[in-house]
Amino acid sequence: MPAKTKKGEKEKEESKITILCGVYIFPNGDKYEGDYLQSTDGALERSGNGAHTTAEGVCYEGQWINDKMTGEGVVRFPSGSMYEGEFVNNQFHGKGRYTWPNGAVYEGMFNENKMEGEGEFMDTERQVWVGAFRYKAAPGLKFKLAM
């Protein structure tokens, strides 16, 4: 005799979501290519790995959770700037590396799109400064002497 299913288990089966992979073009011209979920009511949600390119040319490639950039990823801007690292809820958050078009680089911690915490900044002359960063301020940075 087969085991009886509980009412809750049956409801979960009915609300299963389908994992798909494909291309979606948004009405504003943005394009998403990658993994997404489709619920039984037809709603789509970016989930897994994928690339989203805006009509303006900003491109994110990386992980998605609940339709948001969350996890490891890379975003490239039309200006030539680039961020590689951790994202949470569509923001630079955690360890990352930001490169400006002029070649300057910050590598360290980010908090809600801001340089926050320990990090290293390499300027356009290839000089490296280390210390604690607080968004636009970095009191007490130390010059890192390359020998």
Side-chain angles (χ1 to χ4, degrees):
M1 181 178 220
K4 293 183 181 179
T5 19
K6 295 178 184 171
K7 184 179 180 184
E9 290 175 12
K10 187 175 182 183
E11 288 172 4
K12 282 183 187 176
E13 286 179 20
E14 289 174 3
S15 66
K16 278 188 180 177
I17 47 180
T18 305
I19 299 170
L20 303 167
C21 185
V23 177
Y24 181 81
I25 307 294
F26 293 84
N28 68 355
D30 288 7
K31 175 183 171 184
Y32 176 76
E33 185 170 359
D35 302 332
Y36 61 94
L37 304 175
Q38 184 171 16
S39 64
T40 53
D41 66 356
L44 302 179
E45 181 180 291
R46 292 168 289 191
S47 184
N49 290 308
H52 183 110
T53 304
T54 68
E56 294 79 27
V58 177
C59 181
Y60 170 78
E61 294 179 54
Q63 298 172 322
W64 295 84
I65 297 174
N66 296 327
D67 212 35
K68 294 185 187 242
M69 298 179 293
T70 299
E72 294 289 321
V74 176
V75 65
R76 291 176 178 83
F77 299 94
S79 66
S81 294
M82 178 175 77
Y83 172 81
E84 314 170 69
E86 298 173 350
F87 289 80
V88 174
N89 292 327
N90 293 334
Q91 295 185 327
F92 309 158
H93 196 86
K95 189 170 177 154
R97 176 185 175 97
Y98 191 93
T99 305
W100 283 268
N102 65 6
V105 176
Y106 168 79
E107 188 164 356
M109 299 306 293
F110 285 82
N111 183 16
E112 297 178 347
N113 288 337
K114 299 178 188 116
M115 298 181 294
E116 287 277 340
E118 293 299 312
E120 286 189 4
F121 177 80
M122 183 177 64
D123 64 23
T124 57
E125 302 295 320
R126 318 271 319 147
Q127 297 179 51
V128 179
W129 302 85
V130 296
F133 289 77
R134 301 285 178 259
Y135 186 40
K136 291 184 179 180
L141 281 186
K142 294 185 173 120
F143 180 69
K144 185 176 180 181
L145 194 58
M147 301 187 90

